[in-house]
Each structure stands twice: as structure tokens, then as C-alpha cells.
């Protein structure tokens, strides 16, 4: 059967789903379309033309290469197609972004036919996705005296590709749509259980919010055809939990503007808002698409005569409405005054200066941030080639430099990695910084989108500036179903070719790794001065500073080795007191959030760096803290480590990278060996005193300082979604932290889960140690609820087998994963047994495995959002409560939350994760963690 016939069958199948033909990225199918177009009598000629013009993906897809070559034939008169004139062929090339289309345009611009060369030059002047191979060709032609090449370079030197674009509308009218009350997770906009469809934008768009919501949005658009729909989180923050480019894509698909008439289902410029603004990492993603994020501040705390917040019976501040944004409300955004007004345009509602910084306005004008990043580079290259001084057409980077003020840890890292800054310039928080990126991580549920973004920006190879880059397979590790089988090998092949270390070998040489991406990135980050970008909100390494990002920002980092962002403010977190012997470090993490709220009233972590002085913990254990900072709504976290501890952590990283090499995972450029070299150099620097472990300056300035009192933590703590709170906005946040005594040993637990990136080797050892203890005390162990255990990495399992702990787990398990025969379907029912699952994210992701509907789950996970780990059942709300490993294990055995006394008995003699503030030491300990 021909490719075209197969495509027609697929079209018929998609029709039954209410979908349009899938955009074409395949060269063979495109070639067949062209053959049918050239045959003027072909029955499918008209459809083939339509598919080629309007339904073929641009950039570096194989389809784009065939299409560009065909359009070149048309322009040169080698092929005549009545419906595609020379001018139209040039127009189509202008919308193909880069790669083969730019190559064709340069071919034409440098050819002998002057009329065609001038037309090609006019199109080239609008393009920004040029790489060294492209600009080198133009430079060589210019040096050889080619006037067309000179004309193009002069245009680039003036950045006419940007300056000639229309300005952002001074006034934008919006009509409101409340997507939900309280914090809105990106899961509402792009559910994790639909991750397999993210690369199919039209299909994935159907999962946003609900079909009913989509109809309501369309009705608003019919009623207000001249206005843009603004999606709102009422009484909450929009986009918490993750960056999720697919969420922004979905919002743009339903409410934004089409990027090109010749590229289907790629929209941009969404408008999103929240009473408490937009989650930092999600706001970055909105900026990628040239969208607008609005901090509404439409609900404010009610205060008494003295200005103090009035509290309700639950101790929460009472909110009062400053202005209404109920669905259907018309508002006006003035981009010049940077304010939000009512429908009349006369009553000012809120200042929007932060939404319209010069940089963000440039993103809006250019249709997204990629064009600005590449545009700045293109202008610089052109000026350098012409030998003229750069007169930047772009807003100057904001530089904040305060004489006499020291640097926080993040300020030090950004200064050390800054690009394009005059020597001697010191940047403080608030500065816009362009920085080199050392480590990049791509995960599997967003990886296909990242590959699409790379194709769209015409990138073909990993930037040599990147020290380490990894493509994981952990988010789809639980079930090797048809969706995973279709997507994962394709993704791994693309990323392997691009230059990343991949979890699976496309050639099948080494055993596939489903290790949790954050654990791998934490190991391959081998310098505490590194900047890390990863396609997941939990990219929060305990070495360097790591930022969770959308698939597009990850693609940009892979392609350019750079990222641009403001330097965030920092909050300093230190500790005092002594940690109780019966407490686990996870309780310290929960207490940090709880004590911060008590000390500061508001969440001072939101949008800022948490600089945590926790230097006596190795990187694995410290990651438990930095990982959780995503739930604290922080921009990122930096762990301040002591010299000896950092050296030990780097040695652990070296040993794990060596295992990856032994497995055959290194690539042609020996990236993994290069990371070992960097780690060994860093160890040498620390030992010699040449460059000690990263520390802030004593006179650094912080937005706030939080001191966590370890003495005040006397019982295990649980992060509770508080699903029955009368105030809807208080549900499903991570701010409700409760001691286990709150539950009076009456909270029924239907399932326990020990896994996700929040656990490490020591946690799995705790499970084994508890089983030994309980077996010794009672002769046997019976589970009153299922307990699912998913170790984060294969290395951990190998070590547990050597140390005898895995055998204890096997003794009590009713299921153990088998990589030679992985599960083909997701589990929907659980028995009261121990399940030993494959390394990976498992229940935490919610895209494959889930608890039974309506269950109350107690987990070591990070996510308690509605529907993530567990969905609601009829008449029963699903709950995902978060706690330490020993609490989860004991609760699964009891089938309920324990009393403090029961807990102490169960952990007696087990050396849990110990922590003492720096300068103090944990002392002699037999803990699995030291």
C-alpha cells in the first residue's frame, strides 16, 4: 500500500474522533503528494495540493526538506504548477522557518538569476532561524563581492526581521473565562494521563479542562469575535506544578492566534491570569509563545483598623473581592500604560508593569521568545561579518549592580556563567541575564514536543557548549503499552542522533534505563557552579542551580547552549536545634514550608530562589529538599554544601557515571567521560583551596530569611490536599502541613506509595528495615492496604541486592517487575500486598498507573493535585497525602494513619535520615544515608 493510501485510511480513522488530517512530517508521503500534484490528471491532485500547502510541517522535518526542494523547482521553472506561482512559492518558503527552506533561499539568493536572487533575498531578510552553516555561506559570498549577500547582511545588521514587524496593539480587549477556583495545576490544561498525545496538537487540545469548558470558550468567542479569551485561576495561581508547554499550547489552540496559515494547530499569544498571578515556571512558558500573563490581585486580604489580616475559624485570612472577573466580563489591557482597565477603559483595576517588560513586549511582537534569541545572535553575527559596530535593535538587558553589596549563591552562579556582559560587570537580582547552560535534561512525556521544537527552529545537533544532556524514559516506565512502544523508540532515536545520552539505545545494545530523570541529572551535574535546564518542574538539582522548563526552552538550551532570564531574588533558609532521632528528613522539608508560612504570613518562596544551607547532607539526600521546592512554588533552589560533603557527593556521581559508561551509554563525543573529567577537576579545586564549594557572600542581600527550628519538629508531618476545606481556593495546595496526631489514627489509607524523585536508596532500605523489625516483633507482616514501591534507579536496586535488602522486599512482594516482560496494561485494582515496580515515576506521574478511583493514598510523592495520583469516584473524593517513607510504610501495614506511639515503635532502632545544621555534625551514625 502506498504512503498516501495509508494516510487516507488514517484520515478516515481521525474523522471518527472529530479530528482533522494529521500534519505531515514524513518525506516519503510528501514526495508522493508531489508526484500526484505533477500529474495534472490525478484524481487526488487537489487534495495533494491542499496537504502540501496547508498540512506539511516546517523546519527540519524530512517532509520540509522534500517540500523546500519542490518549491525551488517551481521558482526555477523546472516544474510548473498552475496553483503555485513563483511569488506564492517564495511565500510558502518564508513560513518554513529554517533548515532546508533557508538552504534553498540562500541557493537562490546567491545564484546568477538576479530577479530570483532579489526575491529570495527579500524573503531571507525576514528569517531568523539561521545557523553557522547558513551565515558562513553568506559571509563567504560577501567576502567574494556578492552584492545580494551584502544586502542581506546589512538588513540583518539592522535587525529588520524584527524592526519591520508590527508593534503590539496598544489596546487588547479580553473576555474572561474562569477555568477554576484556587490554584490551577497544569494538569487541568494538559492532563498527565494524556501525555502520549502531546505531539498531536489537535488531539491533545481536546483534553484541556473539559469538553463543556471548550464549548463555553467557543461561545464566548462567538459573542465577542473581536476580543481574546483570558483564562483565569480565580482565588489562586495559574499553572502550578509544572511548566508544561502542552498546557500553553492547548490554551493557545483554544484562545490564541494562528502562527501561520500554512501550519495547522500551532497557535501563539494566549492570555492567562490568576488572582495570585502565574506560577513562575509556567509564566516562562507563556512568554515562549509571546503570551500575556496577568497578576489580577482581584481578591485581597480583609484587614482591621490596624491593618492586620482578619482570620476565619480555620486561621486563614478572609479575602474580599476588589473587582469581579466572573466569566464573560469584558476588560481592556493597555499595553502602553501597562494597566488593566474595566470595559470602559476608564477604571484602572491593576498595574501590569511586570507583564510588559521590554523583553516580554519583544516576545509578543516577534510571536515568541525563540525569534528574539536567534534574532539577537543573527544581528551580532551580521555586524561582525560586516565589520561594523553593533547597534542592537533590541531592548538592552537590565543590569542591576549595587556597589558594596555582596552576592547570593544564585547571583554568583549567574555572574560566572553570564554571556555578553562587559568584563567587570557585577549583576545582582533583577538583572536580565543571558547565561551558558551546562546540563540539559529532556523527559519522555514532553520529549516528542522538544524534538518538534528543535525541528521547528531548524536545529540539527546539540550545542557543543553543553557539558551533558540526557533524554529519560522514566515518565512512561510503568507500562510498556502501545502508546509507549510507538513514541519512545522514535524519541530515543531522534535524541541519540541529536547528540544526547539516551535512556534507551535506539540500536538495542544496552539495557534500557527507566531511571528517574532528576536522579540522573543530579548525578551528571558535576559542578556546583552549573546552570541546569530540564523539561520538568522537578529539575531541582542539589548541585548548581536548576530550572524546570517547558519543552521549547529545553529545545533552545539544547540548540544554543544558552538561556535568558532575570536573576531571581533569594530567600535564605538556615536551621537551628537538633533533629529528633525518630524523625525523618522529609519532616524537616515539610516543617520548612510550615514554619515559613508561620514566620512570614505569605509564601515568600514563590517565584524566588531558596538558598538552603544544608551542607552536611550528601547530594542524594539534599535533593529531597531541593526537589520539594517546586511545591513551595519557588523558582529554583540552591544547596549550600560544605567542602568535604561536596567532594563525597562528586565521588558518588563519578561512580554512577562510570556505571553508565560500563553499560555502553557514552556517545561518540564521549560526553560521559567528559563529565567525569569535569568532576575530577572540581574535586581538585576544592581540595587545593583554589575554588572551595560555592557559598554566598556574608553581605549578600536576601528578600527574606527563614530559620527552621528543628527542636519544634516532634512528630511526623503530612502534606494534606484538604479536599473538604470550605474555601475551595485552599484545596489541593501544598501549604496544609499537619502532624500525624491530627488524624487520631482514624484516617483510612487505601494505598501506600514509596517512590518518585523524592526518595533515594536510603528510603528503600528503610522499607526493608521496617519489615525486618515488624517481622521480628510479630512473627509476620500483613498489609491492610497495598504498598507500591518504585526505586528511582537500577543502580539502587543493584546495590540493595548486594546488601541483602532486596531479598527482604522480595519475600513480602506479590509482584516484582520483569524487564524481559514489562506490563502491557496499567493496573486498575490492587491487592493488599507489596508491589515492587520498575524504576521510574510510577504513580507520581498519573499518566499510566493510578490508584483506584476515590482512594485515599499516602505517598512519598510530590503531587497531591486533584486527579493526579488518584481520581474521584462517584460520591468519594480521591486524596493524595504526602509523607515520609516510614509513615507511608506503616500506614499501608495498618490500613490507617498511625499514632505517634505506634510510629516510634515501628522505627525504633532504624537510623532514619539524619541532619544537623552545618558546623554541627550528625555524629557517629549507622544511617543508610551516610
Amino acid at each position: 500500500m502506498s504512503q498516501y493510501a495509508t494516510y487516507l485510511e488514517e484520515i478516515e480513522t481521525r474523522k471518527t474522533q472529530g479530528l482533522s488530517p494529521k500534519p505531515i512530517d514524513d518525506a516519503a508521503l510528501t514526495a508522493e503528494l508531489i508526484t500526484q500534484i505533477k500529474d495534472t490528471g490525478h484524481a487526488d491532485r487537489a487534495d495533494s495540493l491542499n496537504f502540501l500547502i496547508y498540512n506539511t510541517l516546517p523546519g527540519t522535518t524530512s517532509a520540509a526538506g522534500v517540500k523546500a526542494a519542490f518549491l525551488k523547482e517551481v521558482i526555477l521553472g523546472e516544474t510548473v504548477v498552475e496553483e503555485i506561482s513563483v511569488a506564492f512559492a517564495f511565500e510558502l518558503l518564508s513560513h518554513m522557518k529554517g533548515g532546508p527552506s533557508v538552504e534553498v533561499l540562500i541557493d537562490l539568493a546567491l545564484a546568477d538569476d538576479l530577479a530570483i536572487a532579489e526575491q529570495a533575498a527579500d524573503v531571507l531578510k525576514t528569517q531568523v532561524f539561521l545557523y553557522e552553516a547558513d551565515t558562513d555561506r553568506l559571509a563567504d559570498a560577501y567576502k567574494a563581492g556578492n552584492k545580494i549577500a551584502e544586502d542581506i547582511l546589512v538588513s540583518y545588521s539592522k535587525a529588520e526581521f524584527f524592526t519591520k514587524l508590527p508593534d503590539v496593539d496598544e489596546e487588547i480587549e479580553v473576555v474572561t473565562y474562569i477555568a477554576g477556583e484556587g490554584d490551577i495545576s497544569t494538569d487541568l490544561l494538559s492532563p498527565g494521563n494524556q501525555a502520549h498525545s502531546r505531539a498531536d496538537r489537535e488531539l491533545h487540545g481536546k483534553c484541556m479542562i473539559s469538553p463543556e469548558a471548550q464549548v463555553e470558550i467557543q461561545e464566548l468567542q462567538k459573542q465577542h469575535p473581536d476580543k481574546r479569551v483570558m483564562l483565569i485561576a480565580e482565588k489562586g495561581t495559574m499553572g502550578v506544578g509544572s511548566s508544561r508547554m502542552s498546557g500553553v499550547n492547548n490554551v493557545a489552540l483554544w484562545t490564541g492566534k494562528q502562527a501561520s496559515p500554512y501550519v495547522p494547530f500551532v497557535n501563539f499569544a494566549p492570555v492567562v491570569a490568576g488572582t495570585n498571578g502565574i506560577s513562575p515556571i509556567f509564566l516562562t512558558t507563556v512568554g515562549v509563545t509571546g503570551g500575556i500573563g496577568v497578576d489580577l490581585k482581584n481578591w485581597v486580604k480583609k484587614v482591621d483598623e490596624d491593618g492586620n489580616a482578619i482570620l476565619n475559624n480555620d486561621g486563614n485570612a478572609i479575602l474580599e473581592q476588589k473587582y469581579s472577573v466572573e466569566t464573560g466580563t469584558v476588560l481592556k489591557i493597555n499595553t502602553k500604560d501597562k494597566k488593566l482597565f474595566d470595559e470602559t477603559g476608564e477604571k484602572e483595576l491593576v498595574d501590569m508593569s511586570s507583564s510588559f517588560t521590554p523583553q516580554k513586549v519583544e516576545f509578543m511582537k516577534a510571536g515568541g521568545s525563540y525569534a528574539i534569541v536567534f534574532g539577537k545572535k543573527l544581528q551580532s553575527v551580521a555586524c561582525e561579518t560586516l565589520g561594523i559596530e553593533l547597534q542592537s535593535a533590541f531592548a538592552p538587558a537590565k543590569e542591576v549592580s549595587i556597589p558594596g553589596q555582596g552576592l547570593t549563591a544564585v547571583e554568583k552562579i549567574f555572574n560566572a556563567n553570564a554571556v555578553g556582559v562587559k568584563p567587570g560587570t557585577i549583576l545582582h537580582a533583577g538583572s536580565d541575564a543571558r547565561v551558558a547552560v551546562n546540563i540539559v535534561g529532556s523527559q519522555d512525556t514532553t520529549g516528542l514536543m522538544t524534538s518538534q521544537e528543535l525541528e521547528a527552529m531548524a536545529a540539527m545537533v546539540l550545542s557543543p557548549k553543553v557539558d551533558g544532556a540526557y533524554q529519560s524514559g522514566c515518565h512512561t516506565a510503568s507500562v510498556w503499552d502501545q502508546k509507549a512502544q510507538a513514541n519512545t523508540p522514535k524519541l530515543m532515536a531522534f535524541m541519540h542522533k541529536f547528540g544526547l545520552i539516551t535512556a534507551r539505545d535506539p540500536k538495542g545494545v544496552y539495557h534500557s534505563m527507566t531511571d528517574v530523570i532528576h536522579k540522573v541529572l543530579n548525578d551528571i551535574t558535576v559542578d556546583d557552579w552549573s546552570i541546569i535546564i530540564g523539561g520538568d518542574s522537578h529539575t531541582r538539582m542539589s548541585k548548581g542551580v536548576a530550572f524546570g522548563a517547558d519543552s521549547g526552552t529545553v529545545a533552545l538550551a539544547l540548540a544554543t547552549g544558552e538561556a535568558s532570564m532575570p536573576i531571581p531574588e533569594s530567600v535564605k533558609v538556615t536551621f537551628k536545634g537538633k533533629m529528633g532521632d525518630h524523625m525523618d528528613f522529609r519532616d524537616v522539608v515539610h516543617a520548612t514550608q510550615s514554619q515559613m508560612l508561620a514566620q512570614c504570613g505569605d509564601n515568600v518562596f514563590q517565584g524566588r530562589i531558596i538558598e538552603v544551607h544544608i551542607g552536611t547532607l550528601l547530594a542524594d539526600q539534599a535533593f529531597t529538599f531541593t526537589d520539594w521546592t517546586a511545591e513551595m512554588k519557588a523558582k529554583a533552589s540552591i544547596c549550600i554544601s560544605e567542602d568535604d560533603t561536596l567532594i563525597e557527593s562528586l565521588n558518588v556521581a563519578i561512580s554512577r557515571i562510570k556505571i553508565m559508561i560500563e553499560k555502553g551509554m557514552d556517545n561518540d563525543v564521549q560526553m560521559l567521560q567528559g563529565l567525569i573529567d569535569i568532576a575530577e577537576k572540581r574535586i581538585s579545586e576544592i581540595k587545593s583551596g583554589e575554588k572551595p564549594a560555592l557559598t554566598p557572600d556574608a553581605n549578600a542581600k536576601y528578600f527574606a530569611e527563614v530559620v527552621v527550628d528543628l527542636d519544634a519538629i516532634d512528630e511526623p508531618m503530612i502534606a494534606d490536599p484538604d479536599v473538604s476545606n470550605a474555601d475551595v481556593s485552599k484545596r489541593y495546595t501544598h501549604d496544609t502541613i499537619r502532624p500525624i496526631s491530627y488524624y487520631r489514627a482514624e484516617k483510612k489509607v487505601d494505598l501506600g506509595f514509596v517512590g518518585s524523585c523524592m526518595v533515594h536508596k536510603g528510603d528503600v532500605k528503610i522499607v526493608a528495615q521496617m519489615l525486618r523489625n515488624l517481622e521480628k516483633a510479630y512473627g509476620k507482616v500483613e498489609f491492610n492496604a497495598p504498598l507500591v514501591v518504585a526505586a528511582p534507579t537500577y543502580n539502587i536496586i543493584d546495590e540493595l541486592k548486594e546488601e541483602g535488602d532486596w531479598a527482604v522486599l522480595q519475600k513480602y512482594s506479590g509482584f516484582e517487575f520483569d524487564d524481559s516482560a514489562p506490563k502491557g496494561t496499567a493496573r486498575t485494582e490492587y491487592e493488599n500486598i507489596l508491589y515492587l515496580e520498575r524504576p521510574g515515576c510510577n504513580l507520581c506521574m498519573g499518566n499510566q498507573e493510578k490508584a483506584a478511583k476515590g482512594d485515599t493514598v499516602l505517598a512519598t510523592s510530590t503531587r497531591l493535585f486533584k486527579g493526579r495520583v488518584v481520581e474521584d469516584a462517584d460520591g468519594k473524593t480521591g486524596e493524595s497525602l504526602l509523607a515520609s517513607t516510614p509513615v507511608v510504610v506503616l500506614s499501608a501495614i495498618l490500613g490507617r494513619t498511625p499514632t505517634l506511639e505506634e510510629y516510634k515503635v515501628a522505627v525504633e532502632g532504624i537510623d532514619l535520615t539524619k541532619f544537623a545544621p552545618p558546623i554541627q555534625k550528625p555524629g557517629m551514625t549507622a544511617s543508610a544515608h551516610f
Side-chain angles (χ1 to χ4, degrees):
M1 184 182 289
S2 72
Q3 293 274 351
Y4 185 71
T6 303
Y7 187 52
L8 291 181
E9 285 187 357
E10 181 189 72
I11 288 172
E12 291 304 311
T13 301
R14 288 175 69 87
K15 277 183 183 178
T16 64
Q17 300 171 284
L19 297 172
S20 305
K22 193 173 183 178
I24 297 166
D25 62 2
D26 180 72
L29 175 56
T30 308
E32 193 170 344
L33 293 176
I34 290 169
T35 299
Q36 292 173 181
I37 290 168
K38 290 179 178 180
D39 180 357
T40 56
H42 199 285
D44 295 308
R45 183 175 181 278
D47 286 342
S48 298
L49 259 172
N50 186 68
F51 292 141
L52 181 74
I53 294 170
Y54 297 104
N55 210 47
T56 305
L57 291 177
T60 55
T61 64
S62 61
V66 175
K67 181 176 178 179
F70 170 66
L71 293 173
K72 182 180 180 182
E73 291 178 13
V74 171
I75 291 168
L76 293 175
E78 297 169 357
T79 295
V80 177
V81 178
E82 183 181 351
E83 295 86 350
I84 303 178
S85 64
V86 170
F88 188 36
F90 273 120
E91 181 180 350
L92 291 174
L93 283 170
S94 75
H95 285 259
M96 291 179 66
K97 291 190 175 183
S101 62
V102 164
E103 183 181 356
V104 164
L105 287 167
I106 294 176
D107 287 345
L108 297 171
L110 301 182
D112 296 331
D113 189 320
L114 185 60
I116 288 177
E118 288 177 343
Q119 290 181 75
D122 286 342
V123 175
L124 269 173
K125 291 174 187 177
T126 68
Q127 303 297 295
V128 293
F129 293 107
L130 276 73
Y131 288 82
E132 282 76 6
D134 304 315
T135 52
D136 285 350
R137 288 184 68 192
L138 292 173
D140 290 343
Y142 162 69
K143 292 169 186 175
N146 187 295
K147 293 299 181 183
I148 293 288
E150 180 180 6
D151 183 43
I152 295 167
L153 288 168
V154 168
S155 178
Y156 288 161
S157 73
K158 297 176 182 177
E160 290 179 341
F161 48 77
F162 174 71
T163 59
K164 290 188 175 183
L165 293 173
D167 290 330
V168 175
D169 293 337
E170 183 174 328
E171 187 174 83
I172 299 171
E173 286 193 290
V174 298
V175 57
T176 62
Y177 182 79
I178 294 178
E181 276 195 73
D183 287 355
I184 290 183
S185 162
T186 48
D187 241 25
L188 183 73
L189 309 177
S190 168
N193 60 8
Q194 298 298 313
H196 62 277
S197 67
R198 286 175 182 165
D200 186 345
R201 292 197 182 198
E202 185 192 15
L203 173 60
H204 194 67
K206 290 184 175 294
C207 72
M208 188 185 83
I209 309 178
S210 68
E212 294 76 18
Q214 294 161 17
V215 170
E216 291 166 357
I217 289 170
Q218 288 176 319
E219 286 301 314
L220 283 173
Q221 291 168 330
K222 289 178 184 176
Q223 295 167 22
H224 304 275
D226 56 336
K227 300 174 182 65
R228 290 158 70 177
V229 174
M230 178 166 72
L231 211 65
I232 295 173
E234 176 76 318
K235 295 185 182 178
T237 303
M238 173 64 80
V240 299
S242 63
S243 50
R244 203 150 298 186
M245 188 74 181
S246 53
V248 173
N249 285 344
N250 279 351
V251 177
L253 187 64
W254 287 102
T255 69
K257 299 186 287 187
Q258 187 174 8
S260 165
Y262 309 113
V263 183
F265 312 116
V266 177
N267 287 14
F268 72 110
V271 184
V272 294
T275 291
N276 300 325
I278 319 296
S279 177
I281 52 176
F282 191 63
L283 184 58
T284 299
T285 315
V286 172
V288 166
T289 60
I292 301 174
V294 189
D295 188 355
L296 292 170
K297 300 176 183 174
N298 59 314
W299 288 88
V300 296
K301 291 180 180 178
K302 192 172 184 178
V303 297
D304 59 22
E305 295 177 355
D306 298 323
N308 299 316
I310 300 173
L311 307 180
N312 60 18
N313 293 336
D314 294 328
N316 295 316
I318 296 174
L319 302 178
E320 57 184 356
Q321 193 176 54
K322 188 177 175 183
Y323 62 94
S324 174
V325 292
E326 66 176 332
T327 294
T329 302
V330 174
L331 303 172
K332 290 183 178 179
I333 297 172
N334 189 299
T335 63
K336 183 179 180 182
D337 295 337
K338 302 178 183 179
K339 298 181 186 296
L340 180 68
F341 292 90
D342 67 357
E343 185 174 6
T344 67
E346 297 176 359
K347 183 180 178 182
E348 180 184 332
L349 302 178
V350 71
D351 180 78
M352 289 184 62
S353 298
S354 62
S355 301
F356 294 103
T357 63
Q359 288 72 27
K360 289 180 180 178
V361 171
E362 286 180 343
F363 295 166
M364 296 171 197
K365 178 176 177 175
S369 63
Y370 304 159
I372 298 298
V373 173
F374 279 85
K376 287 179 178 178
K377 180 180 178 183
L378 187 55
Q379 187 184 18
S380 297
V381 169
C383 289
E384 184 179 339
T385 302
L386 295 170
I388 61 177
E389 184 179 351
L390 172 66
Q391 300 291 329
S392 179
F394 302 94
K398 183 180 178 183
E399 293 186 355
V400 178
S401 188
I402 305 169
Q405 180 176 305
L407 298 174
T408 63
V410 72
E411 288 168 342
K412 283 191 172 184
I413 293 176
F414 269 65
N415 276 279
N417 290 279
V419 176
V421 176
K422 291 181 181 179
T425 303
I426 301 298
L427 303 176
H428 284 92
S431 300
D432 294 319
R434 185 170 142 233
V435 291
V437 175
N438 308 98
I439 304 293
V440 185
S442 171
Q443 53 97 334
D444 39 326
T445 55
T446 60
L448 285 173
M449 294 173 60
T450 299
S451 64
Q452 284 184 337
E453 299 287 350
L454 288 167
E455 289 177 329
M457 62 179 71
M460 299 184 71
V461 65
L462 177 70
S463 169
K465 299 177 186 177
V466 176
D467 294 325
Y470 178 70
Q471 172 62 60
S472 81
C474 59
H475 284 56
T476 54
S478 302
V479 183
W480 190 236
D481 56 16
Q482 290 183 346
K483 296 167 185 174
Q485 291 173 39
N487 291 333
T488 304
K490 178 182 177 182
L491 171 62
M492 296 296 166
F494 180 96
M495 290 301 188
H496 175 81
K497 182 179 179 182
F498 198 83
L500 281 72
I501 302 297
T502 55
R504 291 175 63 90
D505 185 0
K507 301 174 184 177
V509 174
Y510 58 80
H511 186 282
S512 63
M513 274 180 42
T514 54
D515 293 356
V516 175
I517 182 172
H518 319 297
K519 295 298 186 185
V520 178
L521 292 183
N522 209 34
D523 286 336
I524 70 172
T525 300
V526 289
D527 188 340
D528 50 326
W529 291 75
S530 292
I531 291 178
I532 305 102
I533 298 291
D536 191 287
S537 60
H538 288 95
T539 304
R540 306 257 165 171
M541 282 51 264
S542 51
K543 300 185 290 288
V545 62
F547 298 94
D550 58 275
S551 55
T553 300
V554 171
L556 203 59
L558 290 170
T560 67
E562 294 182 7
S564 297
M565 67 186 85
I567 302 178
E569 294 177 299
S570 294
V571 176
K572 184 178 183 179
V573 175
T574 56
F575 302 85
K576 67 177 183 179
K578 184 178 183 300
M579 188 174 168
D581 289 339
H582 63 288
M583 302 304 296
D584 185 81
F585 183 65
R586 178 70 181 254
D587 300 310
V588 175
V589 175
H590 287 317
T592 299
Q593 185 146 341
S594 181
Q595 292 188 25
M596 175 274 294
L597 291 170
Q599 290 175 34
C600 305
D602 291 317
N603 184 359
V604 296
F605 292 153
Q606 183 163 343
R608 300 185 176 92
I609 301 292
I610 299 177
E611 183 186 286
V612 56
H613 291 245
I614 203 167
T616 59
L617 283 181
L618 293 177
D620 275 5
Q621 293 84 61
F623 181 70
T624 302
F625 188 100
T626 55
D627 191 26
W628 181 260
T629 60
E631 272 53 66
M632 297 179 187
K633 299 181 184 177
K635 181 78 172 175
S637 179
I638 296 178
C639 174
I640 305 302
S641 184
E642 295 187 338
D643 286 353
D644 291 345
T645 309
L646 179 57
I647 288 172
E648 192 174 349
S649 292
L650 289 173
N651 279 321
V652 170
I654 289 171
S655 68
R656 290 177 179 167
I657 295 171
K658 284 181 176 178
I659 291 172
M660 294 172 74
I661 294 174
E662 290 167 4
K663 287 182 177 180
M665 297 181 68
D666 213 349
N667 57 15
D668 293 341
V669 299
Q670 292 190 303
M671 178 183 286
L672 294 176
Q673 182 58 51
L675 291 169
I676 290 176
D677 296 342
I678 294 169
E680 290 176 341
K681 178 176 181 291
R682 186 70 190 103
I683 290 171
S684 176
E685 290 172 340
I686 298 168
K687 285 182 174 179
S688 68
E690 176 188 348
K691 189 178 179 182
L694 171 69
T695 56
D697 291 331
N699 59 338
K701 184 179 179 182
Y702 296 91
F703 178 83
E705 296 192 31
V706 175
V707 180
V708 180
D709 185 358
L710 299 175
D711 290 330
I713 312 170
D714 58 357
E715 60 177 299
M717 308 181 82
I718 290 175
D720 194 319
D722 204 8
V723 298
S724 299
N725 194 310
D727 184 349
V728 176
S729 70
K730 300 296 182 185
R731 300 176 189 172
Y732 303 104
T733 75
H734 288 79
D735 294 340
T736 303
I737 309 292
R738 291 170 170 156
I740 58 168
S741 58
Y742 173 88
Y743 302 96
R744 300 178 182 178
E746 297 172 351
K747 182 76 172 178
K748 186 176 184 293
V749 173
D750 298 305
L751 184 143
F753 172 52
V754 174
S756 88
C757 48
M758 286 293 283
V759 300
H760 49 87
K761 177 184 172 182
D763 289 279
V764 188
K765 287 184 75 71
I766 287 171
V767 179
Q769 289 169 330
M770 290 184 72
L771 291 173
R772 287 191 187 101
N773 272 9
L774 293 167
E775 182 183 70
K776 183 177 180 180
Y778 303 107
K780 63 177 180 177
V781 179
E782 292 184 357
F783 289 91
N784 283 289
L787 177 63
V788 177
V789 175
T793 68
Y794 284 95
N795 284 348
I796 286 174
I797 294 174
D798 291 341
E799 291 169 19
L800 293 171
K801 286 179 178 178
E802 289 179 11
E803 296 164 13
D805 296 290
W806 194 255
V808 177
L809 300 177
Q810 287 176 314
K811 178 179 178 180
Y812 282 98
S813 70
F815 171 87
E816 182 179 0
F817 76 93
D818 179 0
D819 275 340
S820 65
K823 285 187 299 183
T825 56
R827 184 178 288 111
T828 56
E829 296 180 353
Y830 296 82
E831 300 176 50
N832 292 344
I833 56 173
L834 172 63
Y835 293 86
L836 295 178
E837 292 287 357
R838 197 181 195 187
C841 302
N842 203 270
L843 285 165
C844 185
M845 258 307 291
N847 63 318
Q848 292 184 319
E849 297 278 77
K850 279 186 183 292
K853 290 183 178 181
D855 270 3
T856 293
V857 180
L858 195 59
T860 60
S861 180
T862 57
R863 299 307 200 203
L864 49 65
F865 301 121
K866 184 180 179 66
R868 178 66 176 245
V869 172
V870 56
E871 295 176 349
D872 295 344
D874 291 338
K876 188 181 179 186
T877 303
E879 299 177 272
S880 175
L881 296 90
L882 311 178
S884 67
T885 293
V887 170
V888 172
V889 174
L890 184 56
S891 298
I893 290 170
L894 297 173
R896 58 170 171 78
T897 53
T899 64
L900 180 56
E901 291 70 26
E902 287 172 326
Y903 170 83
K904 285 183 177 180
V905 169
V907 300
E908 187 175 358
I910 296 178
D911 208 353
L912 305 173
T913 314
K914 287 295 180 290
F915 166 68
I919 300 178
Q920 302 175 40
K921 293 287 185 182
M924 297 302 291
T925 174
S927 169
H929 312 280
F930 291 92

